[in-house]
Amino acid sequence: MTTGVRRRMGVEERRQQLIGVALELFSHRSPDDVSIDEIAAAAGISRPLVYHYFPGKQSLYEAALRRAADELAARFREPREGPLGARLLRVMGRFFDFVDEHGPGFSALMRGGPAVGSSTTNAMIDEVRQAAYEQILAHLGVERPPARLQLVVRSWVSLAESTALIWLDGRKIPRAELELQLVHDFAALSVVSAAYDEEMAGILIRILGDEPADGPFGELVGRLVALVPGEGKVSTVGKVPAQRLR
């Protein structure tokens, strides 16, 4: 309960407050289920005053989405230091933090609906995907990615998105396992592509050469080798023969 004298906010400060309130409500329920009255009540102002700052629910939702989209895109930023596998695992941890915190809103946004079908919101979603794509390419150290690498990275970003949506529906698989599995998925997509393209094979060999045996990629190699009858454990990813990737 609010007590004392209510402080008068400036225009931009009030707008930012309403965006924050909307984001909080959208984190627990689909935007389509949240009314302007609820947003006004949570902000401690009247319904007409909300419309003073935003023409309608759609414009408020788009402003909230803009903030959320910027935050989600930032989750893919990671210092380019150390093995790629460990970096991707940290990125997936931050990505799922966001999904966990904004579940209903994230789900409604990615699956589409009346409140999110505008060209503006669709453009923001595409911006997030593009930012993720560019960040991953930067981690790979590739300025002019070949067509197969573009396909791998965009496919992986889409896979991470769909995996998060499925996970939200009941959280039936431990989150940490999915984060690691997605890093393994990136490696698997790269290996398959490398089998068809020498340029991709060269990129993959360079990546694996820097990976420690106890890293995410090293663990994947160990798991795969363990599935093959008569094969021994691989002690280090960097020792995978190049000819086996071509």
Side-chain angles (χ1 to χ4, degrees):
M1 186 174 74
T2 304
T3 58
V5 178
R6 181 179 299 170
R7 183 173 64 85
R8 187 180 186 86
M9 292 185 180
V11 173
E12 186 56 28
E13 186 180 7
R14 178 65 78 184
R15 281 178 55 84
Q16 294 304 315
Q17 182 216 18
L18 288 170
I19 291 171
V21 167
L23 270 178
E24 176 63 24
L25 292 172
F26 297 158
S27 296
H28 300 287
R29 290 157 55 205
S30 167
D32 292 329
D33 297 331
V34 177
S35 69
I36 288 293
D37 287 331
E38 290 177 274
I39 295 172
I45 61 176
S46 66
R47 175 189 175 96
L49 194 54
V50 174
Y51 286 112
H52 175 73
Y53 295 100
F54 295 95
K57 179 180 173 181
Q58 181 68 25
S59 64
L60 175 54
Y61 178 76
E62 289 176 358
L65 175 60
R66 175 78 273 168
R67 183 188 291 183
D70 290 343
E71 181 184 342
L72 181 55
R75 303 291 175 110
F76 284 87
R77 298 192 192 112
E78 171 74 21
R80 292 160 203 167
E81 301 172 356
L84 177 65
R87 281 182 267 162
L88 291 181
L89 189 58
R90 289 192 292 270
V91 167
M92 284 296 95
R94 289 195 299 272
F95 173 70
F96 270 88
D97 281 344
F98 182 92
V99 172
D100 212 357
E101 294 163 9
H102 304 280
F106 177 85
S107 180
L109 169 64
M110 295 305 178
R111 288 188 168 125
V116 299
S118 74
S119 59
T120 300
T121 56
N122 289 336
M124 288 184 207
I125 296 167
D126 288 340
E127 284 178 23
V128 172
R129 291 169 178 155
Q130 181 65 20
Y133 168 78
E134 292 175 358
Q135 284 294 318
I136 299 305
L137 286 181
H139 284 298
L140 293 170
V142 179
E143 293 184 2
R144 296 182 179 179
R148 290 187 186 275
L149 180 58
Q150 293 180 42
L151 180 61
V152 165
V153 176
R154 291 198 184 280
S155 295
W156 185 69
V157 170
S158 178
L159 178 61
E161 178 185 308
S162 59
T163 298
L165 288 171
I166 294 170
W167 177 75
L168 282 171
D169 187 15
R171 293 174 167 82
K172 298 174 184 177
I173 300 176
R175 184 184 131 178
E177 289 184 15
L178 279 186
E179 292 169 8
L180 180 60
Q181 181 178 317
L182 279 165
V183 176
H184 289 171
D185 287 334
F186 181 85
L189 287 169
S190 299
V191 168
V192 171
S193 184
Y196 288 86
D197 184 81
E198 284 199 11
E199 190 171 8
M200 271 299 300
I203 293 172
L204 182 61
I205 291 168
R206 173 173 58 81
I207 293 171
L208 294 181
D210 295 330
E211 291 293 320
D214 60 351
F217 291 171
E219 180 183 345
L220 174 60
V221 172
R223 286 174 179 265
L224 292 176
V225 171
L227 294 175
V228 181
E231 290 288 334
K233 295 289 184 180
V234 174
S235 60
T236 176
V237 177
K239 291 183 179 179
V240 176
Q243 62 268 24
R244 294 175 67 182
L245 298 172
R246 296 187 180 185

